[in-house]
């Protein structure tokens, strides 16, 4: 048996929210009309993508994000840069904002009350979108204990490196294992789970080389360790950046916002991660993906390779040639946003 039950939206327990009604990623595209204003609860990938989409459709959007920055899973400079870009575009982003209750105020309007950085604030809107993440589906009602399958309702099914669960004849794949909620990750784990369930090959999965993308404009794309994660492992790191306003192709097509950032082990030149804010940023990840699938994962081929001009990929090569020892002082987010 292979468990592949997916995920469902997380709905925070906020007094008045259920009574007021709300949209989720599963329902929001079924709306028949556009509200004049919308409060988006959550500053992760879904929150950012939908916030920008509705803003560009003419909706006044306010984002309430519990953490101190949007896209908290991304490199700090990346999330700060995108936050700057979206704010400059006109989206109201409130960080350290914890919704406390929702009130109906008549005529199809609502008020979301929240504690924002220690102060009480009230945000009126015509529609509420809950984009607070997703959790594994059916974990609580599949009676997995009876089959000997361990699972946590929030974290997902317990698996080993072959995707086998704690039961000998049960495997799991995709979102239900609670790792990376990407379609390409689900496809990747599906192949491994099927092979291991039907044969004795014993394939293992590796999350260190799984790319991710947030399809805002500009896009956010990443693979490997963030600078903060690399430093937390005790490594000495070098960081290379290139602003796209200094890349010829970006200038030519009028898409100069953002940057590419490489994180490299200072002692071995091993590529640890690449992080991008850019037009078509996800399409630039394969340059790093190839390096991460070599035995040494060295940065040298990115430095030495001849790159076609004019292309956005010249930004990746430039970042590799700009590698410098990390001095612990972040570049201002506004400058990185471009």
């Amino acid at each position: 048996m292979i468990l592949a039950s997916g995920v469902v939206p997380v709905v925070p327990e906020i007094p008045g929210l259920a009574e007021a009604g709300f949209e989720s990623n599963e329902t929001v595209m079924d709306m028949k009309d556009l509200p004049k204003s919308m409060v988006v609860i959550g500053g992760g990938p879904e929150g950012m993508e939908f916030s920008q989409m509705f803003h560009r459709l003419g909706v006044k959007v306010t984002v309430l994000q519990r953490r101190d920055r949007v896209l908290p899973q991304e490199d700090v400079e990346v999330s700060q840069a995108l936050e700057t870009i979206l704010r400059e575009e006109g989206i109201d982003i409130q960080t350290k904002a914890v919704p406390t209750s929702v009130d109906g105020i008549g005529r199809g309007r609502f008020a979301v009350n929240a504690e924002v950085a220690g102060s009480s604030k009230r945000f009126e809107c015509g529609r509420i979108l809950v984009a607070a993440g997703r959790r594994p589906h059916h974990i609580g009602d599949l009676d997995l204990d009876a089959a000997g399958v361990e699972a946590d309702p929030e974290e997902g099914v317990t698996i080993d490196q072959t995707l086998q669960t704690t039961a000998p004849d049960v495997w799991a794949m995709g979102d239900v294992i609670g790792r990376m909620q990407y379609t390409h990750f689900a496809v990747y784990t599906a192949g491994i789970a099927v092979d291991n369930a039907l044969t004795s090959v014993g394939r293992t999965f590796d999350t260190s080389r799984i790319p991710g993308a947030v399809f805002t404009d500009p896009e956010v794309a990443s693979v490997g360790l963030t600078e903060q994660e690399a430093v937390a492992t005790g490594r000495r790191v070098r960081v290379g950046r290139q602003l796209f306003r200094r890349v010829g192709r970006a200038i030519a097509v009028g898409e100069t916002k953002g940057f590419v950032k490489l994180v490299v082990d200072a002692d071995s030149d091993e590529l640890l991660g690449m992080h991008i804010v850019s037009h078509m940023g996800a399409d630039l990840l394969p340059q790093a993906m190839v390096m991460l699938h070599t035995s040494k994962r060295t940065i040298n081929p990115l430095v030495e390779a001849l790159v076609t001009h004019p292309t956005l990929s010249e930004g990746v090569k430039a970042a590799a040639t700009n590698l410098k020892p990390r001095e612990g002082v972040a570049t201002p987010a506004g400058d990185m946003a471009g």
Side-chain angles (χ1 to χ4, degrees):
M1 178 179 288
I2 297 177
L3 299 174
S5 54
V7 287
V8 291
V10 170
V11 180
E13 294 185 5
I14 302 172
L17 178 62
E19 293 79 3
F22 59 90
E23 305 294 341
S24 72
N25 69 296
E26 294 183 341
T27 65
V28 69
M29 299 301 290
D30 294 328
M31 292 195 312
K32 302 301 182 183
D33 56 5
L34 286 172
K36 292 183 179 179
S37 57
M38 174 182 285
V39 167
V40 176
I41 299 175
E46 290 176 357
M48 294 298 92
E49 291 172 351
F50 281 124
S51 295
Q52 187 178 51
M53 183 187 83
F54 281 105
H55 170 74
R56 291 188 174 186
L57 290 172
V59 178
K60 180 183 177 183
V61 175
T62 299
V63 177
L64 303 182
Q65 164 66 334
R66 288 175 175 265
R67 304 281 289 275
D68 60 356
R69 59 189 175 100
V70 301
L71 300 184
Q73 80 281 5
E74 300 290 345
D75 188 272
V76 170
E77 289 178 333
V78 166
S79 60
Q80 289 177 340
L82 183 70
E83 189 173 312
T84 296
I85 291 169
L86 295 183
R87 279 180 166 153
E88 289 176 347
E89 193 170 308
I91 299 173
D92 179 16
I93 298 176
Q94 301 281 331
T95 56
K96 297 182 181 179
V98 180
T100 55
S101 64
V102 176
D103 301 324
I105 55 178
R107 296 186 178 182
R109 291 187 58 76
F110 311 93
V112 180
N113 304 300
E115 288 293 318
V116 182
S119 300
S120 297
K121 292 189 177 182
R122 185 177 176 88
F123 304 92
E124 296 186 5
C125 63
R127 202 71 59 94
I128 300 169
L129 170 61
V130 174
R134 292 174 287 179
R135 61 175 176 79
H137 195 200
H138 285 314
I139 291 295
D141 56 21
L142 282 178
D143 201 12
L144 297 178
D145 287 344
V149 176
E150 294 181 4
D152 181 276
E154 301 300 325
E155 300 298 326
V157 175
T158 301
I159 45 94
D160 64 16
Q161 285 302 108
T162 69
L163 295 173
Q164 184 173 317
T165 70
T166 51
D169 297 313
V170 183
W171 282 258
M173 51 75 62
D175 293 345
V176 76
I177 68 175
R179 303 298 173 92
M180 298 178 170
Q181 295 175 0
Y182 298 120
T183 301
H184 51 273
F185 181 69
V187 172
Y188 167 64
T189 54
I192 295 173
V194 169
D195 282 351
N196 291 341
L198 300 181
T199 73
S200 59
V201 294
R203 290 179 60 191
T204 59
F205 77 103
D206 178 7
T207 59
S208 70
R209 298 177 292 193
I210 304 299
V214 181
F215 292 100
T216 47
D217 177 24
E219 295 174 0
V220 167
S222 61
V223 63
L225 298 178
T226 66
E227 180 185 350
Q228 295 75 41
E229 290 169 339
V231 170
T233 67
R235 298 176 187 252
R236 293 193 315 115
V237 301
R238 293 196 295 156
V239 173
R241 304 180 186 81
Q242 178 68 10
L243 301 177
F244 278 99
R245 66 172 183 241
R246 297 174 183 166
V247 176
R249 181 61 178 271
I251 296 170
V253 299
E255 298 285 355
T256 57
K257 292 180 180 178
F259 62 97
V260 58
K261 174 179 179 178
L262 298 175
V263 182
V264 174
D265 186 290
D267 299 313
S268 66
D269 277 344
E270 176 189 352
L271 176 62
L272 302 176
M274 180 162 81
H275 309 278
I276 300 171
V277 181
S278 170
H279 171 67
M280 301 296 288
D283 287 24
L284 298 176
L285 283 180
Q287 285 177 270
M289 294 299 299
V290 171
M291 299 302 100
L292 291 175
H293 279 81
T294 60
S295 59
K296 294 184 178 180
R297 301 188 179 192
T298 176
I299 196 70
N300 295 335
L302 281 178
V303 177
E304 298 169 359
L306 183 62
V307 180
T308 307
H309 173 80
T311 61
L312 294 178
S313 59
E314 288 181 290
V316 178
K317 177 179 174 66
T321 60
N322 291 339
L323 284 165
K324 297 178 181 179
R326 188 60 169 137
E327 297 175 355
V329 180
T331 302
D335 185 55
M336 295 294 277

